[in-house]
Amino acid sequence: MTRGNLFEQVSSDYALALLKEGNKRFVEGKPLSSTNGDTPKARKELYEKGQAPFAVILGCSDSRVPPELVFDVNVGQLFIVRTAGNVADAIAAGSVEYAVEHLKAKLVVVLGHQKCGAVAAAISGGDFGDNIGAIVKEINPSVEKIRAEGGSESLTCRCEDENAKNTAAKLSKSTILSKYIADGSLKIVCAKYILETGEVSFF
């Protein structure tokens, strides 16, 4: 499955299928292109025609998780918002809303990952100052929920997953995004990047 046209709109289900196919190529070390479509011709087209990303990725700022490479897509095909801990503050949420409302993206993926430093900071606690503290504050409810549930599974792993779910839930309550979810034209899903293998699991 390929998507050569940078400017076509696709359904949320097809967008998800494209991401899964791209990640499979990434894991196998068989990308479609060594340049990810970043050519003089593509740059000229994107300049002249504008952007029409088929999906939005709200991911962590972690340097080990570059969405364009992880999903083997071309320049111009993903609208990417990155915050430490893949949290959705007002600015991040507004960026996602813009991509859906004005660029007509049909899929939003909240992408967490293994060994997230922001989640680890929330688990460890401490005084992080105003700015990093604001990130930790967004993650704390997920940590508190998982701690309250107990269980023998990895606390960090479960908190990473819960944090992604919490971000997705927060986005789904957006006045702008919720109307597209209600009419079936938008899906918000969670995913996790596995550092050892490069695989993305969706949930």
Side-chain angles (χ1 to χ4, degrees):
M1 183 183 297
T2 62
R3 181 175 181 269
N5 188 340
L6 294 176
F7 309 101
E8 66 177 308
Q9 297 295 336
V10 301
S11 69
S12 55
D13 287 339
Y14 191 65
L16 183 58
L18 286 169
L19 294 179
K20 289 180 178 180
E21 287 285 330
N23 180 244
K24 184 174 183 289
R25 293 191 299 271
F26 174 74
V27 171
E28 294 174 349
K30 299 176 181 178
L32 289 177
S33 168
S34 61
T35 64
N36 284 90
D38 185 19
T39 64
K41 180 182 178 182
R43 289 193 293 271
K44 185 173 186 294
E45 285 186 315
L46 287 167
Y47 169 71
E48 293 175 347
K49 298 180 181 180
Q51 60 174 322
F54 70 88
V56 183
I57 309 295
L58 172 52
C60 184
S61 301
D62 193 292
S63 63
R64 298 167 292 181
V65 194
E68 293 96 338
L69 299 183
V70 167
F71 294 113
D72 188 35
V73 298
N74 288 341
V75 170
Q77 293 186 322
L78 294 180
F79 191 91
I80 297 171
V81 182
R82 300 183 73 175
T83 62
N86 42 273
V87 300
D89 60 8
I91 293 173
S95 299
V96 175
E97 290 171 347
Y98 172 79
V100 172
E101 179 93 324
H102 297 281
L103 303 180
K104 309 306 178 185
K106 302 296 192 294
L107 177 70
V108 176
V109 179
V110 178
L111 180 62
H113 67 96
Q114 283 182 317
K115 296 185 178 295
C116 180
V119 172
I123 291 172
S124 66
D127 182 4
F128 300 99
D130 292 341
N131 297 322
I132 296 177
I135 297 168
V136 170
K137 184 178 179 181
E138 292 283 336
I139 301 171
N140 278 337
S142 298
V143 174
E144 291 168 2
K145 178 182 177 181
I146 296 302
R147 278 192 167 134
E149 290 177 354
S152 59
E153 296 178 58
S154 167
L155 175 63
T156 300
C157 180
R158 291 163 61 207
C159 286
E160 289 163 351
D161 294 348
E162 183 61 31
N163 180 52
K165 292 176 184 177
N166 191 46
T167 296
K170 185 175 181 179
L171 290 174
S172 70
K173 295 175 184 175
S174 152
T175 302
I176 291 175
L177 301 181
S178 61
K179 66 182 179 181
Y180 293 103
I181 295 171
D183 69 19
S185 63
L186 175 70
K187 285 186 178 180
I188 300 178
V189 301
C190 298
K192 187 169 190 175
Y193 179 69
I194 308 303
L195 292 174
E196 300 103 312
T197 64
E199 181 181 5
V200 174
S201 59
F202 291 86
F203 57 95

